[in-house]
Amino acid sequence: MKPSLITPTVPFDVDGVHHGFLRLPHSRDDSAWGNVMIPISVIRHGKGPVALLTGANHGDEYEGPIALHELAVTLEPEQINGIVIIVPAFNYPAFRAGSRTSPIDKGNMNRLFPGKPDGTVSEKIADYFQRTLIPMADVVLDFHSGGKTLDFIPFACAHALDDKPQESACMAAMQSFNAPYSMKLLEIDNVGMYDTAVEAQGKVFVSTELGGGGTATARSVGIARKGVRNLLKHAGILSGELELSATVQLDMPDGDCYVFAQHDGLLEPTVDLGEPVAAGEVIARVWSIQRNGTPPLAYHAKRSGILAARHFPGLVHTGDCVAVIAVVVDDLFDNV
Ligand code: ZN
């Protein structure tokens, strides 16, 4: 396979704090011999474990970038044992545009792994992670939230995996992140995901959904800030005690957790995030935006649980994810 065109401007093998870029040549109308410059920090002390931390895999999700910019300016090499690689904005062109996908090539960074060294800008970024950064890492954290179109209760998540020792290690790492909710996540569309690429390389992987609506809150940023430091402590990279509080354990047993829109219209939530719902209960209504005098269409929960995610914008379109129901459990960490 061809070598990557991405060149890091920082070393991975020198102790200290190094702030720089992943430089990817991108010739275009406004810059003939230009580059995409993705900010990266590498903080290294000794030969301990390696953490790879990313935000803005989707460009309109902000808790990760905020927490990671703060970590990059506050983490001292003397506090750590190992290497912390920080990329606050993974899909940097998307982050700059405030959009989920890249304005250059419409690349959704979480759907195009393993990428291509000779592909689009987004595919080249994915390929660099696939063949250079992920192999270096022992533990990988990828921050998400709902972006402009979804809103979530704040949770850290790990996936059910065929490799049970790896699944236990991922669950333990998720537990250490200690978000208010901890979710064993079922993906509806895991082909090409960064998560899948990292897990396939046998790494410990944790992701999050910390809020949404295309912004961050003081609370959601606080969860991200505490979680990333807890995870570094859990991995043996950062010294100190974990900062722990109660977490609600959640599972998504099957596709009945998802409710998708079959109509266009005006969305009326009838349940708010985190509230309990019973199977069959109305969780949202969709009103006509074409005419008056039409009763709303009711959307029902297919199972009992709590409302873990909802469509964020006021108008909804056919095919949109209206809601996600998660089931409260108490055995998520039994094998950790
Ligand atoms: Zn995302």
Side-chain angles (χ1 to χ4, degrees), residues 58 61 100 144-145:
H58 295 123
E61 302 172 1
R100 181 172 179 81
H144 287 259
S145 54

Side-chain angles (χ1 to χ4, degrees), residues 74-160:
T74 54
L75 201 59
E76 304 282 350
E78 299 71 34
Q79 298 171 324
I80 69 167
N81 168 44
I83 308 178
V84 181
I85 302 170
I86 302 171
V87 182
F90 189 165
N91 192 339
Y92 186 66
F95 176 70
R96 287 293 298 264
S99 57
R100 181 172 179 81
T101 62
S102 174
I104 299 172
D105 52 32
K106 291 291 166 197
N108 179 339
M109 198 55 74
N110 228 21
R111 296 292 183 277
L112 46 73
F113 269 80
K116 293 179 192 163
D118 54 359
T120 63
V121 164
S122 299
E123 287 170 336
K124 286 171 180 161
I125 296 170
D127 169 69
Y128 185 76
F129 274 74
Q130 174 75 22
R131 291 192 294 149
T132 302
L133 294 182
I134 299 171
M136 290 169 59
D138 298 295
V139 58
V140 178
L141 169 64
D142 189 36
F143 279 108
H144 287 259
S145 54
K148 288 176 179 167
T149 65
L150 289 172
D151 198 9
F152 286 89
I153 55 170
F155 64 81
C157 51
H159 296 113

Side-chain angles (χ1 to χ4, degrees), residues 42-63:
V42 179
I43 303 171
R44 178 182 169 122
H45 186 233
K47 294 196 184 313
V50 178
L52 173 60
L53 312 174
T54 47
N57 175 320
H58 295 123
D60 59 350
E61 302 172 1
Y62 296 102
E63 287 82 2

Side-chain angles (χ1 to χ4, degrees), residues 145-176:
S145 54
K148 288 176 179 167
T149 65
L150 289 172
D151 198 9
F152 286 89
I153 55 170
F155 64 81
C157 51
H159 296 113
L161 298 173
D162 293 336
D163 181 333
K164 291 304 165 189
Q166 185 188 11
E167 179 185 300
S168 295
C170 294
M171 289 287 163
M174 171 190 41
Q175 185 178 29
S176 77

